[in-house]
Amino acid sequence: QVVERCLELGAASARYISGSMASPSLPEEVLREAENTWGGLDMLILNHIGQSGFTFFSGDVGHVRSLLETNFVSYVALATAALPLLKESEGSIVVVSSIAGKIAGPFTASYSATKFALDGFFSSLRQELIIDKVNVSITLCILGYINTESAVRAVSHVIPDSPAPKEECALEIIRAGALRRRELHYPGPAIGSALLLHSLAPELLESLLRSSYRLENVRR
């Protein structure tokens, strides 16, 4: 369906590979397909997550390990496999993350940990590429509440805010990668305000977050 839609919108060609990002072999398969089909790679957009609830931390350490494998380690594996092609094209890596990777709120302990890990790894890698004079940009996308089906299903019973449109968000992600921006904040005003308040008064921000949720709807 995605391929059909891409072609309808005017793409010259579109291909897909199906598989689980928990598989250690999939990153190499994806990059081999890109090289064989197009002869290279201009932009790698990392945007996949494992299943995670919006609830109190249950103590399930196994789930934390599994989520780190999908939400973090597979991102590193894909980026590592793609770097030789991206160095040739002087291309871009776009990492889709979350405000939960900058500000830790309640009910997202495992998910938030994986997003903080993305910031740490790719922010460090960006500096190493600069030191080595490698012209590959890294854009970290800090997203708020977006009206994707999975996000609305997971948090709409707890978060009363209206989600931002996914179509506009997708365009902003592509634009940020093409412009080789360091970070994208979307929706901008909400994310920018939260990050500023977090740096100035983190306890106040945390209190506001807790008071804004419908806590009676949070399942333990």
Side-chain angles (χ1 to χ4, degrees):
Q1 289 175 336
V2 172
V3 165
E4 289 176 0
R5 185 62 177 144
C6 288
L7 296 175
E8 288 172 6
L9 291 171
S13 65
R15 299 285 290 271
Y16 78 92
I17 299 175
S18 61
S20 169
M21 290 313 304
S23 168
S25 64
L26 192 62
E28 293 291 346
E29 293 173 24
V30 171
L31 272 300
R32 188 163 54 248
E33 176 75 7
E35 186 170 23
N36 292 340
T37 302
W38 294 297
L41 188 67
D42 297 312
M43 183 182 293
L44 176 69
I45 300 178
L46 299 166
N47 179 30
H48 56 271
I49 57 171
Q51 189 69 26
S52 180
F54 195 77
T55 185
F56 286 88
F57 176 58
S58 66
D60 187 350
V61 178
H63 177 252
V64 177
R65 289 197 180 99
S66 173
L67 206 61
L68 278 166
E69 190 69 37
T70 302
N71 289 13
F72 171 63
V73 176
S74 67
Y75 278 53
V76 174
L78 262 171
T80 301
L83 265 175
L85 294 178
L86 291 171
K87 287 177 180 178
E88 289 181 14
S89 66
E90 297 189 334
S92 304
I93 298 173
V94 179
V95 182
V96 178
S97 188
S98 166
I99 187 63
K102 292 283 191 180
I103 300 170
F107 316 127
T108 61
S110 303
Y111 172 80
S112 187
T114 67
K115 295 301 186 180
F116 268 86
L118 287 176
D119 193 349
F121 178 85
F122 284 99
S123 294
S124 176
L125 180 62
R126 182 192 293 115
Q127 294 190 59
E128 293 178 15
L129 294 175
I130 292 170
I131 289 169
D132 283 341
K133 295 180 171 58
V134 174
N135 191 22
V136 174
S137 66
I138 295 179
T139 299
L140 192 67
C141 301
I142 309 302
L143 307 184
Y145 181 21
I146 312 298
N147 70 342
T148 60
E149 290 182 14
S150 58
V152 171
R153 183 170 60 250
V155 306
S156 60
H157 62 294
V158 178
I159 296 178
D161 299 340
S162 298
K166 57 181 178 290
E167 298 83 2
E168 183 179 74
C169 180
L171 285 172
E172 289 301 318
I173 288 171
I174 294 171
R175 192 196 318 274
L179 295 175
R180 306 171 79 86
R181 290 171 55 185
R182 177 188 177 88
E183 284 192 357
L184 164 68
H185 296 163
Y186 183 86
I191 299 298
S193 299
L195 291 174
L196 178 61
L197 187 56
H198 183 255
S199 66
L200 296 176
E203 291 184 354
L204 173 60
L205 176 62
E206 291 170 0
S207 177
L208 291 172
L209 278 175
R210 293 191 298 271
S211 65
S212 70
Y213 292 163
R214 299 189 182 107
L215 298 179
E216 68 277 7
N217 293 338
V218 179
R219 294 182 295 273
R220 289 183 179 270

